[in-house]
Amino acid sequence: MSAILQTQKLRVEYRTRELRQPVKIALTGLDLEVRAGEVFGFLGPNGAGKTTTMNVLLGFVPPTSGAASLFGIDVRQPIARQRIGYLPEMTYYYKFLSAEELLRFYAKIFGLARAEADRRIDQLLKLVELESARKRPIKSYSKGMQQRVGLAQALLNNPDLLILDEPTSGLDPLGRMKVREIIQRLKNEGKTVFFSSHELGEVETICDRVAIVHQGDLKAVGTVAEISAGHPNLEQAFLKIVGFQSAHAS
Amino acid sequence: MNKIFALTGVVIKELYRRKDFYVLFVLTAVLTLAAGAVNFFHDEKIVRYVKDICLLLIWISSLVIAIVTTARQIPAEREARTIFPLLAKPVSRGQVIAGKFLGCWLATGMALVVFYFFFAVITGSKEQSWPVLTYFQAAWMQWLLLGIVIALVLLGSIYFAAPSSTSTISFVVVISILLVGSHLHVIALQQPEPMQTVLTFVYYIMPHLEWFYLSDFVVYDFGHVPLLKIIAATLYAAVWTGILLLLAWLGFRRKNLTT
Ligand SMILES: Nc1ncnc2c1ncn2[C@@H]1O[C@H](COP(=O)(O)OP(=O)(O)O)[C@@H](O)[C@H]1O
Ligand SMILES: [Mg+2]
């Protein structure tokens, strides 16, 4: 199978404003490969470098060294993003637009034809259950509704690859289940999903493969079974790999 | 191009939904109206004076609208993080700059149309004269100038995160150029070296915004400007706007948006 998402020796340093402060190394040389059709969980504790990796893949942060590509196209080219959907970790959308207007705007950015856009917008608003609020400005939406707008915009172009940054964080249990359902459905449609999380329970059930990063470094990659081999479950394996000493461990 | 127009549409939608400038609009309209209502007694001097004030008002209002609106665009997208889902789509940062520019420029253009229309109706109904071509030229030149200003502010907004600093600095720069721009080389001659060389140099490389101020033609009924001069001014403005947008794009292109 071919790699749809790839990073090679990816290194990212953040320069801090104060001159005497050392640069902050967010990624030390990450090699990652996500193959077509898999659901790939990108795990790591807070500050591990998950968001940074995604920011490079989307072209928000230029790599200090190394390379990253989507569908074999260098991420510096906008066209690399034609077939992806992205859900940011946390975002507000244009508050003065309605959900429908927001999606119509993004559809134009994707270059979708009018009829196709209309059809997809109707379909997505139904999927995320925002049909009744579609004409209201986003500023009148609750937090959960705003997150669902985010999900709808990520699916607008019927993407082949989804990049989701902690898609379930901050959602209630029902919301989480819906997101998991959607990921599962996308997988059945043959899409590739790359998502970050620190919710190990959900990762275990839906991921084909996972990678564990810690302090900007890739610590492990493989199927859930491979990584949890020799441990009671994925959570224990994860804790061991990131060097957490459980009080109960003897 | 459709992507750029889509961005433009959002800028304009935001502007009229935010309603920030409605106050400014109404204020300008009311003041122009009040000025027009003054009984002139056909005193040539007062008529000119009133027209001059109205025109100045239009200039200041449109500058405020152009600068404040533009300074906010990119910082607001970064603050609300709307820039991320946007740039995650197949749109280049150059297109974002172009769309923002076009949106702000068209919006100020619409404001100008309203202002000048109002001005023409008020003065026309009083004086029974309709120098439409002169008004059109004055508005066109002012719009060209606002294009340069908007490109300048867009450039500033990439380096100064706070819209208020960008607005203030832009205001000072634009007003200074308008006030002393045409005299700078003369002022330079009165200065000791190296000031003289520096100011002369600045005179030759700065955008001469004051060339676009046609109030004398409007106020003193000078007739209209020769077409060739308008074309030259249009080209001059296009080159300056292009240079400033290019610089804005160069600054934005490689910018790390997470810091
Ligand atoms: N813009 C930034 N400037 C400086 N340091 C940053 C910036 N963004 C992230 N970092 C640092 O880089 C590291 C990785 O962060 P991040 O990629 O957000 O981690 P994660 O998403 O895995 O929680 C953290 O130590 C964080 O403090
Ligand atoms: Mg993160």
Side-chain angles (χ1 to χ4, degrees), chain A residues 14-16 24-27 44-53 55 89 165-166 196 198 213, chain B residues 256 258-259:
Chain A
Y14 287 111
R15 239 173 281 281
T16 34
K24 168 84 205 163
I25 301 169
L27 293 173
N46 284 326
K50 304 182 296 293
T51 299
T52 300
T53 306
N55 284 346
E89 193 170 16
D165 199 353
E166 307 205 0
S196 70
H198 45 223
V213 277
Chain B
N256 180 338
T258 63
T259 50

Side-chain angles (χ1 to χ4, degrees), chain B residues 85-235:
Chain B
L86 175 61
L87 286 180
K89 301 192 168 46
V91 60
S92 70
R93 296 193 188 187
Q95 286 168 322
V96 172
I97 295 276
K100 293 290 186 191
F101 169 78
L102 210 60
C104 295
W105 195 46
L106 286 177
T108 53
M110 290 182 225
L112 276 187
V113 168
V114 175
F115 285 151
Y116 272 89
F117 178 75
F118 211 72
F119 180 77
V121 169
I122 300 282
T123 54
S125 63
K126 281 271 167 190
E127 294 185 43
Q128 309 303 330
S129 80
W130 304 92
V132 175
L133 182 60
T134 306
Y135 288 160
F136 181 76
Q137 286 186 332
W140 173 253
M141 292 289 268
Q142 190 175 351
W143 197 36
L144 291 177
L145 169 134
L146 289 171
I148 304 178
V149 170
I150 287 167
L152 179 76
V153 177
L154 215 46
L155 172 64
S157 75
I158 285 163
Y159 293 98
F160 306 103
S164 53
S165 349
T166 313
S167 298
T168 313
I169 293 169
S170 306
F171 246 113
V172 171
V173 169
V174 170
I175 299 291
S176 318
I177 293 179
L178 285 173
L179 290 180
V180 301
S182 55
H183 315 301
L184 198 60
H185 60 309
V186 183
I187 296 170
L189 290 177
Q190 298 157 3
Q191 303 296 317
E193 289 290 0
M195 233 11 213
Q196 184 171 343
T197 316
V198 171
L199 286 185
T200 310
F201 184 68
V202 168
Y203 176 78
Y204 283 107
I205 64 156
M206 75 177 182
H208 283 278
L209 303 180
E210 75 281 2
W211 291 351
F212 297 86
Y213 192 44
L214 289 193
S215 77
D216 286 355
F217 286 87
V218 177
V219 176
Y220 294 100
D221 302 327
F222 274 6
H224 53 265
V225 185
L227 185 64
L228 216 58
K229 281 198 177 167
I230 297 280
I231 292 175
T234 304
L235 289 177

Side-chain angles (χ1 to χ4, degrees), chain A residues 94-99 133-143 145-146:
Chain A
Y94 304 95
K95 292 179 169 28
F96 52 92
L97 295 180
S98 67
R134 62 187 289 166
K135 302 232 185 264
R136 256 169 42 203
I138 294 177
K139 64 169 168 264
S140 71
Y141 288 11
S142 71
K143 198 160 166 256
M145 287 164 84
Q146 297 210 14

Side-chain angles (χ1 to χ4, degrees), chain A residues 47-111:
Chain A
K50 304 182 296 293
T51 299
T52 300
T53 306
M54 295 189 170
N55 284 346
V56 171
L57 288 167
L58 295 154
F60 305 152
V61 174
T64 307
S65 66
S69 62
L70 297 172
F71 303 99
I73 304 169
D74 190 293
V75 294
R76 275 172 297 194
Q77 303 188 339
I79 195 68
R81 299 189 283 278
Q82 182 71 38
R83 288 160 61 203
I84 67 163
Y86 167 60
L87 180 67
E89 193 170 16
M90 60 162 189
T91 283
Y92 314 99
Y93 296 90
Y94 304 95
K95 292 179 169 28
F96 52 92
L97 295 180
S98 67
E100 185 179 335
E101 286 172 326
L102 180 82
L103 294 177
R104 183 144 287 135
F105 165 57
Y106 285 147
K108 285 184 195 150
I109 296 286
F110 276 119

